[in-house]
């Protein structure tokens, strides 16, 4: 079986592995790529992640593996949920549709930011898009990186900000202003974090 799976396209083998852990009553952790690609990144806590895993398990009882794999590969998992009577369930999970309509190839960088921030094992490295969008490219020391990471962790886990709203603020170029609405920065911190959280956005409009 291992030899057969190794010959499959990456998306098919990813789905096979995901089905295996889900049917064994587990779900991806933030260290796993599938934590993002199957939408667990939208969940605010472990309880919500468990409920999403149950929804997938229910789906697996109603569809074939090939249906699931092709839907994943074609970014149509939302349609698959709806077709198998799970529309109301998935609508109760904010932002799930936004993630799954781009999966497995296109995501807002904020989901990878959240993955980097909430990972407790320190085994997740931020991709370049996260570094540029959220200021980690300016962190020239581990202490600065941890300080900035702590700000985003507070926004996600304590202020419970909507990641999509954070994405919108990011591309508007107002990360520090947004964060200041939730965090009371000390005078000495304002200059540091204003500099770190400054990004290239909004991008200039090119005239044709």
């Amino acid at each position: 079986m291992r030899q057969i799976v190794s010959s499959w396209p990456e998306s098919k083998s990813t789905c096979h592995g995901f089905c295996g852990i889900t049917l064994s009553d587990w779900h991806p952790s933030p260290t796993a790529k599938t934590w993002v690609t199957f939408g667990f990144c939208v969940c605010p806590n472990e309880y919500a992640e468990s409920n999403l895993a149950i929804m997938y398990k229910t789906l697996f009882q109603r569809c074939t593996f090939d249906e699931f794999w092709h839907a994943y590969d074609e970014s149509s998992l939302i349609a698959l949920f709806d077709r198998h009577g799970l529309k109301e369930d998935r609508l109760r999970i904010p932002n799930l549709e936004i993630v799954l309509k781009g999966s497995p190839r296109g995501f807002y960088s904020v989901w990878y930011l959240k993955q980097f921030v909430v990972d407790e094992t320190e085994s997740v490295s931020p991709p370049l898009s996260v570094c540029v969008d959220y200021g980690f490219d300016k962190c020239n020391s581990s202490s600065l990186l941890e300080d900035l990471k702590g700000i985003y962790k507070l926004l996600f886990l304590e202020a419970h900000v909507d990641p999509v709203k954070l994405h919108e603020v990011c591309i508007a170029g107002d990360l520090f202003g947004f964060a200041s609405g939730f965090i009371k920065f000390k005078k000495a911190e304002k200059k540091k974090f204003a500099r770190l959280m400054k990004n290239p956005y909004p991008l200039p409009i090119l005239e044709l």
Side-chain angles (χ1 to χ4, degrees), residues 10 14 17-19 21-22 26-42 46 49 72 99 103-104 107 111-125 127:
E10 181 182 355
T14 295
F18 176 66
C19 289
I21 65 168
T22 304
W26 291 87
H27 62 268
S29 73
T31 60
K33 179 181 177 182
T34 49
W35 188 77
V36 174
T37 59
F38 287 108
F40 290 88
C41 56
V42 307
E46 179 72 20
E49 290 183 20
Y72 173 73
V99 171
S103 184
F107 304 94
W111 303 116
Y112 292 112
L113 170 70
K114 185 179 178 183
Q115 182 181 39
F116 172 57
V117 165
V118 303
D119 167 43
E120 298 290 346
T121 68
E122 298 188 356
S123 61
V124 174
S125 298

Side-chain angles (χ1 to χ4, degrees), residues 26-202:
W26 291 87
H27 62 268
S29 73
T31 60
K33 179 181 177 182
T34 49
W35 188 77
V36 174
T37 59
F38 287 108
F40 290 88
C41 56
V42 307
C43 299
N45 51 48
E46 179 72 20
Y47 177 75
E49 290 183 20
S50 297
N51 284 338
L52 178 55
I54 290 170
M55 192 173 80
Y56 273 110
K57 191 173 182 179
T58 303
L59 177 66
F60 298 154
Q61 295 167 349
R62 300 179 184 180
C63 74
T64 67
F65 173 71
D66 279 348
E67 276 185 283
F68 179 69
W69 164 51
H70 286 298
Y72 173 73
D73 192 54
E74 296 164 6
S75 304
S76 59
L77 281 175
I78 289 296
L80 186 67
F81 278 123
D82 293 356
R83 192 159 64 247
H84 289 283
L86 292 165
K87 183 173 183 176
E88 289 187 8
D89 299 79
R90 63 93 174 165
L91 283 173
R92 286 195 286 267
I93 305 175
N95 298 325
L96 182 64
E97 183 168 352
I98 290 174
V99 171
L100 294 187
K101 280 198 169 181
S103 184
R105 298 173 185 87
F107 304 94
Y108 296 158
S109 61
V110 71
W111 303 116
Y112 292 112
L113 170 70
K114 185 179 178 183
Q115 182 181 39
F116 172 57
V117 165
V118 303
D119 167 43
E120 298 290 346
T121 68
E122 298 188 356
S123 61
V124 174
S125 298
L128 180 60
S129 58
V130 169
C131 292
V132 173
D133 290 354
Y134 293 95
F136 293 99
D137 58 336
K138 302 180 193 68
C139 296
N140 54 14
S141 69
S142 58
S143 61
L144 275 180
L145 186 144
E146 289 302 318
D147 287 347
L148 184 57
K149 185 177 179 181
I151 294 299
Y152 291 119
K153 188 171 186 177
L154 191 155
L155 290 175
F156 284 127
L157 301 184
E158 295 186 31
H160 303 292
V161 300
D162 181 348
V164 173
K165 178 61 179 177
L166 186 60
H167 164 74
E168 292 169 352
V169 168
C170 171
I171 61 176
D174 191 31
L175 285 170
F176 179 72
F178 179 74
S180 297
F182 298 93
I183 302 169
K184 190 173 182 179
F185 291 102
K186 296 177 182 178
K187 187 175 181 180
E189 294 176 325
K190 289 182 178 180
K191 185 176 181 180
K192 177 175 76 172
F193 287 112
R195 179 183 69 83
L196 291 176
M197 300 174 86
K198 185 175 177 59
N199 62 23
Y201 304 103

